Amino acid sequence: MKTYHIITIGCQMNKSDSERIAACLDNIGYKKTEKREQADLVVLTTCGIRQSAEDRVYGLAHKIKKENKNAKVILTGCLSEREDVIKRLKDKVDIWLPINQIINLKQILTDFDFRNTKINPCDYLKIKPKYTSVFSAFVPIGNGCDNFCSYCVVPYARGHEVYRDAEEILNEVKDLVGQGYKEIILIAQNVNSYKSKIRNQESGIKNQEARESNYIDFSHLLRLVNSISGDFWVRFVTSHPKDISDDLILAIAKCEKVCKHIHLPAQAGDNDILASMNRKYKIEHYLELIKKIKKNIKSELPVAITTDIIVGFPGETKEQFGNTVKLFEKVKYDMAYIARYSPRYGTAAEKMKDDVTAHEKRKREEKLMKILKKIALENNQKYLGKVVKVLIEGQNKKGFLFGKTETNKIVKFSGDKDFVGKFVDVKIEKVEEFGLSGVFKKNY
Ligand code: SF4
């Protein structure tokens, strides 16, 4: 039996894509192996969002052919259609596979030329994935992006936004919950733009407003997922600040299964830099959203807010960076993923002068990190003495169980390994910037 090994670099969407590739390969008789150097087929699911992710692909592609010259290498994901990458790795990769073509994988492996085949870019999401976890599942609700932020490769790599039918998504979630899954993560590049036509009025979609308009938007979808019976949590990523509606904030507030955590990428705190990034909102709008989120989404503990930030975008002055510092102080983020700007191939920002020095970018990153640590610790102090529900994800090398709260806080405690994949209550006794620890109270 032929074997395969998959290497996934980058985001949750890529992880979800790799689960579908694994399902396709299983279906055509391949068997998964952890031993890359012995695999007949090595699949690289690539990411081009950051230079560091891209560099990893170059390093791996060279290594794979060196350690296993008989392996067939498939490269898919963000870099699969980039001409410069194809030229650079032409001797290291056998098949350059756009992700939505994995529905043709069987034929492609027998020399089928897929380049002129027309397919619906959403069809590959119908493939039932081989989920890597038995309690937490990514459920893509769409693919692609129409926003064209000036620094980002995604619209070029994944194409225009396409969304799955709500019925298809609901059936996947029902199936997962029926199997005992405890966490459903709805994913798309911009979940807030979700729109699906109701194709069948008899489908059981009862939302009056949705039925009248004949469309389901993301807040309707969240309510529908929330109405599926079972004990599970719903998370979603990623939101674009220009598309969050008041109704969505209300849906998050009212749906008891939807986790009280919002990841809302700001990218910068300065209006001129936001305009240059083509983000299509002003910081005043972003801050107004944060105010509404904090006011409306109430639970025992404050709603958690996390973000993505780019420091050292072309032309970013010290003063403009100072506005991002002010943003951090105002919002009081629980977590921020801070990236130093690097030009990405084919984007609008690639043509701008990358004029902030590497040293200055590092200094700005360090400054934000310092503020983040202080604020995150203050936020976490509100958890001291509280009993929180945690979904246990695993056991670390020191024997501690770890998992997350609905507010996405990592919790560590001593407990029975059988709790992995289950909800338990933990009393918090110690807090750090990015983690909490406590004692087991009860299981569900
Ligand atoms: S919204 Fe902007 S940053 Fe996000 S995927 Fe689309 S283009 Fe990229």
Side-chain angles (χ1 to χ4, degrees), residues 145-149 151-152 154-155 189-190 240 267 279:
C145 185
D146 291 341
N147 288 322
F148 290 91
C149 300
Y151 52 83
C152 182
V154 168
Q189 271 73 35
N190 183 12
H240 194 302
Q267 305 298 4
R279 289 290 287 173

Side-chain angles (χ1 to χ4, degrees), residues 1-144:
M1 188 183 264
K2 290 198 168 178
T3 56
Y4 71 91
H5 180 90
I6 302 181
I7 304 167
T8 309
I9 296 167
C11 63
Q12 289 161 324
M13 198 71 193
N14 275 10
K15 288 180 191 155
S16 171
D17 286 347
S18 288
E19 291 181 340
R20 282 178 166 74
I21 297 169
C24 290
L25 290 168
D26 280 6
N27 288 342
I28 57 176
Y30 278 76
K31 193 168 173 281
K32 188 178 168 197
T33 175
E34 295 306 324
K35 293 181 182 149
R36 183 171 84 196
E37 57 299 340
Q38 289 171 15
D40 296 294
L41 194 65
V42 178
V43 182
L44 262 170
T45 307
T46 62
C47 171
I49 299 261
R50 311 237 179 282
Q51 188 59 47
S52 53
E54 198 175 312
D55 289 343
R56 252 191 91 195
V57 175
Y58 297 135
L60 276 164
H62 282 84
K63 220 167 158 195
I64 293 163
K65 279 287 181 190
K66 214 170 174 183
E67 67 193 13
N68 182 359
K69 64 177 184 335
N70 296 322
K72 202 172 236 188
V73 177
I74 296 185
L75 190 146
T76 186
C78 267
L79 306 179
S80 68
E81 293 174 272
R82 273 228 343 237
E83 281 170 18
D84 60 320
V85 181
I86 295 174
K87 213 164 141 191
R88 182 166 172 175
L89 294 180
K90 66 178 187 314
D91 301 332
K92 312 288 171 209
V93 172
D94 301 285
I95 299 170
W96 298 88
L97 186 69
I99 188 65
N100 49 27
Q101 286 285 354
I102 61 169
I103 47 176
N104 289 320
L105 195 55
K106 185 176 179 183
Q107 295 89 322
I108 288 165
L109 285 168
T110 50
D111 281 346
F112 167 76
D113 185 353
F114 57 83
R115 273 165 296 195
N116 291 320
T117 55
K118 285 248 175 300
I119 47 165
N120 178 334
C122 231
D123 275 358
Y124 87 97
L125 296 176
K126 292 185 201 300
I127 298 168
K128 195 173 171 358
K130 183 181 178 178
Y131 302 103
T132 26
S133 161
V134 291
F135 57 87
S136 172
F138 297 120
V139 176
I141 64 169
N143 187 25

